[in-house]
Amino acid sequence: MVTSFLAFVWNPSEGIEIGSFVIRYYSLMFVVAFALGWYIMKHIFIRENEPLEKLDSLFIYTVVATLIGARLGHVIFYQSELFREDPLSILLPIRTKPEFEFTGFSGLASHGAAIAIILFMVYFSKKIMKQSLLWMLDRVVIPVASGAIFVRLGNFFNSEIVGHETNSAFGIKFVQDFYSKNDAVLNTKIANPKEAYKAISDNPEFSYLLDKVPALHPSQLYEAFGYIFVFLILFFMYWKTEARKKEGLLFGMFMVLLWSVRFVVEFVKASQGGFEEYSTFNALTTGQWLSIPFVLIGLYYIFRPKKV
């Protein structure tokens, strides 16, 4: 990251290079998220005297549910045209139109992941844990909150899910969001996209190209920062209070806190598409409309009448 006159310039490499192999930062953040989640759940299982062999099943199925749910959620809520235009790209890391391209797994929606995880927990809590659904959800939301932090950091490294233009001190120039690889190559006449991006960021000869890049809110970092507090609050409530004994309380707090953060950050986030494009729903973004029911569900579990 270097400094321009008005904003930071963000033009990261794709990942950590080991010879010809590249560990992409986005993928690495997912690995960190799942590994940290496994570590947190391990200590929760130990505290609850639950057999650790069940943890492996929980980990595997949660990973699968998260990725499939997040991908389907993105397609359903934000890119439904793929069902008719390019169905193979929905669950495969490719694009077949307008031409075949290996894209990697991209286009993931946290709302879809949340729904898939909850649905999976219905099965897991009953068939494997032999516990109530809320008992399971009260505990799994802690590692999920920690994972959300690293997913948003991954989005930042990918220069995606950026914010609106800003003149504030928080503004960042996302070079790779503004210029596609083809645009970078065509404008600089440098055949290697990596070198082309570097030239735009660092070479005074191409300063006119950098000047065209607007400073945007780093909405990914705002969201990640908010999720740190969500995680810390849930972590404290579980380990330092009696909240874990009040079934549904931690789950409710998670739903209210995390989706409230998402709702607020959406005000500075650039449109991701979806049904906000229709005049009936354009008062709020798609992310905000989808967050409202999650917050209401959370409020119910926080304030629901206690059984006598």
Side-chain angles (χ1 to χ4, degrees):
M1 182 181 292
V2 296
T3 307
S4 73
F5 293 110
L6 296 176
F8 286 112
V9 177
W10 183 239
N11 180 34
S13 62
E14 289 185 334
I16 301 171
E17 298 182 6
I18 304 175
S20 60
F21 182 72
V22 179
I23 302 175
R24 298 181 184 275
Y25 290 122
Y26 187 63
S27 301
L28 183 61
M29 290 300 101
F30 264 91
V31 171
V32 172
F34 285 124
L36 179 59
W38 181 89
Y39 179 79
I40 293 171
M41 282 304 295
K42 175 184 176 182
H43 286 276
I44 290 176
F45 270 44
I46 291 173
R47 183 180 197 182
E48 304 287 353
N49 295 314
E50 292 289 344
L52 290 180
E53 55 265 25
K54 295 181 180 180
L55 183 57
D56 292 334
S57 298
L58 174 64
F59 176 78
I60 293 171
Y61 285 109
T62 301
V63 170
V64 173
T66 299
L67 295 178
I68 293 178
R71 180 57 183 157
L72 288 176
H74 173 82
V75 174
I76 293 170
F77 300 136
Y78 295 96
Q79 209 174 359
S80 59
E81 67 273 10
L82 288 181
F83 283 111
R84 65 176 185 277
E85 294 178 1
D86 193 9
L88 286 177
S89 70
I90 294 175
L91 292 178
L92 296 177
I94 61 172
R95 178 170 54 206
T96 63
K97 296 181 179 180
E99 58 185 15
F100 183 87
E101 180 184 355
F102 179 82
T103 60
F105 288 103
S106 60
L108 304 175
S110 53
H111 295 91
I115 293 171
I117 290 172
I118 291 172
L119 291 175
F120 163 68
M121 289 304 156
V122 173
Y123 166 81
F124 189 84
S125 60
K126 181 179 179 180
K127 298 295 185 179
I128 299 177
M129 291 302 299
K130 310 299 182 183
Q131 297 278 5
S132 71
L133 174 60
L134 286 176
W135 184 96
M136 195 69 235
L137 290 174
D138 280 339
R139 285 145 183 83
V140 80
V141 292
I142 302 172
V144 168
S146 71
I149 300 167
F150 293 96
V151 171
R152 284 297 175 249
L153 291 177
N155 294 139
F156 180 68
F157 277 109
N158 263 14
S159 298
E160 61 188 6
I161 314 184
V162 296
H164 294 302
E165 190 169 342
T166 178
N167 291 320
S168 74
F170 299 108
I172 291 179
K173 292 194 171 193
F174 293 94
V175 175
Q176 295 177 29
D177 173 72
F178 189 77
Y179 292 108
S180 69
K181 289 182 179 180
N182 287 337
D183 289 338
V185 169
L186 289 173
N187 280 283
T188 61
K189 310 303 180 185
I190 299 173
N192 186 315
K194 177 181 176 182
E195 294 301 320
Y197 280 132
K198 182 175 175 59
I200 294 172
S201 298
D202 302 336
N203 191 334
E205 179 184 349
F206 299 105
S207 60
Y208 70 96
L209 292 175
L210 183 60
D211 290 340
K212 294 180 181 179
V213 181
L216 307 176
H217 281 290
S219 55
Q220 322 94 323
L221 296 185
Y222 298 163
E223 208 166 330
F225 186 72
Y227 293 160
I228 290 174
F229 288 96
V230 176
F231 168 70
L232 291 176
I233 290 170
L234 295 174
F235 189 87
F236 176 83
M237 289 178 67
Y238 176 80
W239 289 101
K240 301 297 182 180
T241 74
E242 299 297 305
R244 69 185 186 282
K245 298 180 180 179
K246 301 173 182 178
E247 203 168 69
L249 177 58
L250 286 167
F251 173 65
M253 288 294 294
F254 167 84
M255 296 290 273
V256 170
L257 292 173
L258 186 131
W259 299 111
S260 292
V261 169
R262 175 65 183 272
F263 187 93
V264 172
V265 173
E266 286 284 328
F267 283 112
V268 298
K269 187 183 294 184
S271 175
Q272 303 299 303
F275 45 78
E276 69 192 69
E277 297 178 353
Y278 299 97
S279 59
T280 307
F281 298 100
N282 63 10
L284 298 173
T285 69
T286 301
Q288 287 174 321
W289 284 117
L290 293 173
S291 296
I292 290 172
F294 285 90
V295 172
L296 294 176
I297 290 170
L299 289 171
Y300 169 77
Y301 281 107
I302 291 173
F303 297 108
R304 66 178 178 152
K306 301 297 184 292
K307 294 179 180 179
V308 179

